[in-house]
Amino acid sequence: MPDLQQRLEAQRTRIAQAALRSGRAPEDVTLVAVTKGHPADRARAALDAGHPDLGESYVQEWRRKAAELAGWPVRWHFVGHLQSNKARALATGLTLLHSVDRTSLVEALERHVDGLLDVLVQVNVAAEDSKFGCPPDQAPALVRQLADSSMLRPRGLMTIAPQADDPEAVRPVFRGLRELRDRLRDDLADRPDVAETLTELSMGMSDDLEVAVEEGATIVRVGTAVFGPRPR
Ligand SMILES: *Cc1c(COP(=O)(O)O)cnc(C)c1O
């Protein structure tokens, strides 16, 4: 099995090739290495390999790893579903929260966050019953709510595409997220400060990141292709 450094390098190459194919700059896409299910020493190895952006999905697992890696220059991304009663645990230490999908969660975060927090609105573009995320038609109101909040800053959108054997099958999902972001920005003409920074598109994982980057992803979240299968 190739070592971690090589696997990280391979993902950067995939991203760069897809970016260049679509006339984008490779450095406009951030690779988040998703460490969920892997021990802290794997996360530390990624940091050692010069990779600061790490992603986690479960609050307790993240807090534990964050404590173990205290003092390391990690940029933590929380990409999992978040219950409102866990909002307090996210009050400090996060670079980006990818999974804001409802009004009550925004309110809970507002009560607990004690500094500025960058967030993404998670959208269930494909309207899958099994997935979290707001329906696309609720995204404008959520972005407005975030724009009016004193601590939370809406920075863009996130989606999880359906499982598909052929990544081409999910291209319309990624395109839909990009078009939604563009519409949201257009609709924020009265809030140019918000429109200007509503730029991120967190989409694409191990199996479909090329298609996501071709459709405009600015952040891809990759676990398995970097760390191998998650131990059970
Ligand atoms: C686990 C997870 C990933 C990484 O998935 P892989 O298929 O292992 O690359 C990305 N995004 C989210 C939201 C996840 O929960």
Side-chain angles (χ1 to χ4, degrees):
M1 189 165 86
D3 73 7
L4 188 59
Q5 176 88 55
Q6 284 172 309
R7 282 170 170 251
L8 282 164
E9 207 50 57
Q11 308 319 308
R12 291 199 196 97
T13 302
R14 292 174 70 191
I15 291 168
Q17 287 174 345
L20 295 173
R21 267 201 302 282
S22 47
R24 306 184 57 210
E27 57 271 23
D28 291 349
V29 184
T30 298
L31 170 64
V32 171
V34 178
T35 45
K36 71 157 182 250
H38 296 284
D41 63 336
R42 300 293 284 156
R44 196 177 291 117
L47 295 169
D48 264 336
H51 192 83
D53 287 279
L54 304 181
E56 284 286 335
S57 289
Y58 303 101
V59 172
Q60 281 178 338
E61 184 183 348
W62 169 56
R63 295 293 347 164
R64 201 170 59 237
K65 263 176 238 180
E68 283 187 62
L69 295 174
W72 288 75
V74 190
R75 294 166 46 84
W76 285 114
H77 297 250
F78 193 85
V79 303
H81 175 66
L82 188 56
Q83 289 172 291
S84 297
N85 63 8
K86 300 270 175 64
R88 184 193 298 274
L90 295 195
T92 53
L94 268 193
T95 293
L96 184 63
L97 172 58
H98 292 227
S99 52
V100 171
D101 62 358
R102 59 199 189 278
T103 296
S104 56
L105 178 57
V106 175
E107 289 164 357
L109 288 164
E110 274 274 87
R111 281 195 295 277
H112 294 299
V113 167
D114 56 6
L116 288 178
L117 178 61
D118 286 342
V119 307
L120 305 180
V121 171
Q122 181 175 354
V123 183
N124 189 355
V125 178
E128 286 184 283
D129 287 343
S130 60
K131 295 264 163 63
F132 292 105
C134 71
D137 64 358
Q138 287 177 17
L142 268 180
V143 169
R144 285 279 167 187
Q145 190 189 2
L146 290 164
D148 291 339
S149 126
S150 52
M151 292 298 183
L152 307 172
R153 294 197 298 195
R155 299 301 313 275
L157 306 179
M158 179 275 229
T159 200
I160 302 174
Q163 289 281 352
D165 292 335
D166 177 6
E168 280 300 328
V170 293
R171 187 180 292 275
V173 172
F174 297 141
R175 184 171 300 166
L177 196 72
R178 167 165 49 88
E179 290 172 351
L180 178 59
R181 179 204 57 189
D182 293 346
R183 276 201 303 282
L184 289 168
R185 296 185 76 184
D186 288 345
D187 291 348
L188 285 163
D190 59 317
R191 292 294 304 271
D193 55 322
V194 179
E196 192 164 333
T197 54
L198 193 81
T199 51
E200 305 292 342
L201 288 175
S202 169
M203 57 188 194
M205 314 193 337
S206 289
D207 294 332
D208 54 18
L209 74 83
E210 284 89 349
V211 176
V213 169
E214 287 169 12
E215 293 299 332
T218 63
I219 302 171
V220 295
R221 313 176 305 266
V222 182
T224 311
V226 171
F227 298 107
R230 287 178 274 278
R232 291 184 53 101

